[in-house]
Amino acid sequence: MIGSVRGRLLDKDPGGELLIEAGGVGYRVVVAPSTLAGAGPVGDECFVYVHHHVREDASDLYGFAELDERRCFEALLSAHGVGPALALAVLSHLPPDELRRAVAADDAAALELVPGIGAKTSKRMVLDLKSRLGAPDVAGAAAVAAAGDGAGSAVAEVRAALSQMGFAPVEIREAMAAVTIEAARDAEADTGALLRVALQELGPR
């Protein structure tokens, strides 16, 4: 089973694929936009951690710049109804720390920002991932989870509101980091107060 590939980068497909030559063999590796952007220019050495996904009709490689991304990808694949394309889409919107924070806080709305994931699927994914993802690196996530249903619900409502207002996923992630910290500090904070924190973080945009 292939676990990583190091070699010369022969091509970068804007559609999300790297062609890496290693030992005289060219490996086609499907990657997220962030990995594609960080791969460097064609001709340079390239290294990616790899998940080798084997099916009856295909054998595909999925590459990641960080080992933790691969681990989260594999955890996502173990969730009910999640295939490689959807798992990669989740990591494109929610990096590992953000994904762990959302799971720890029961923030299914965070997953609903990913195209193709609805309310029912997101809630099932959160339940499946709780036993498969490690504790979040950000201490605030655990605090929000411990604060009770009120704090978790308010955080989810703020995320949904920002999405409805048209903010991009990357902007929402930035704002939600501040919201999570505030919710952990003040367990009584309601949706309106947390939304003000988010909008202050985003500034005039």
Side-chain angles (χ1 to χ4, degrees):
M1 191 70 69
I2 300 173
S4 65
V5 174
R6 183 188 299 275
R8 187 165 65 94
L9 183 59
L10 298 182
D11 187 42
K12 294 172 67 174
D13 187 331
E17 186 177 278
L18 300 176
L19 179 60
I20 305 172
E21 182 185 45
V25 178
Y27 294 92
R28 297 173 60 180
V29 185
V30 181
V31 297
S34 58
T35 303
L36 184 73
V42 171
D44 279 9
E45 182 181 80
C46 181
F47 175 84
V48 289
Y49 293 98
V50 165
H51 171 82
H52 189 188
H53 194 73
V54 180
R55 297 174 297 177
E56 290 183 2
D57 59 343
S59 178
D60 301 312
L61 299 178
Y62 293 86
F64 308 91
E66 302 292 337
L67 183 57
D68 196 31
E69 290 178 316
R70 188 184 74 183
R71 288 171 176 159
C72 286
F73 178 81
E74 291 170 344
L76 284 162
L77 289 181
S78 67
H80 178 76
V82 178
L86 185 56
L88 203 63
V90 170
L91 287 175
S92 295
H93 285 77
L94 294 169
D97 284 349
E98 294 289 337
L99 179 61
R100 288 192 178 94
R101 181 184 292 113
V103 171
D106 289 321
D107 186 5
L111 291 167
E112 291 176 36
L113 293 175
V114 180
I117 296 182
K120 185 176 179 180
T121 300
S122 66
K123 291 175 182 176
R124 176 63 184 267
M125 287 176 66
V126 166
L127 289 175
D128 288 346
L129 291 172
K130 274 188 176 294
S131 62
R132 297 181 173 100
L133 287 177
D137 294 332
V138 181
V144 171
D149 293 340
S153 175
V155 169
E157 288 172 0
V158 169
R159 187 185 296 275
L162 293 176
S163 179
Q164 292 171 2
M165 293 166 108
F167 288 103
V170 65
E171 294 176 311
I172 294 174
R173 287 202 303 269
E174 292 172 0
M176 291 310 296
V179 169
T180 299
I181 292 171
E182 178 62 20
R185 187 189 67 80
D186 182 5
E188 300 300 320
D190 60 14
T191 301
L194 294 179
L195 182 57
R196 285 192 291 274
V197 170
L199 294 176
Q200 288 172 359
E201 184 71 17
L202 289 166
R205 306 191 183 189

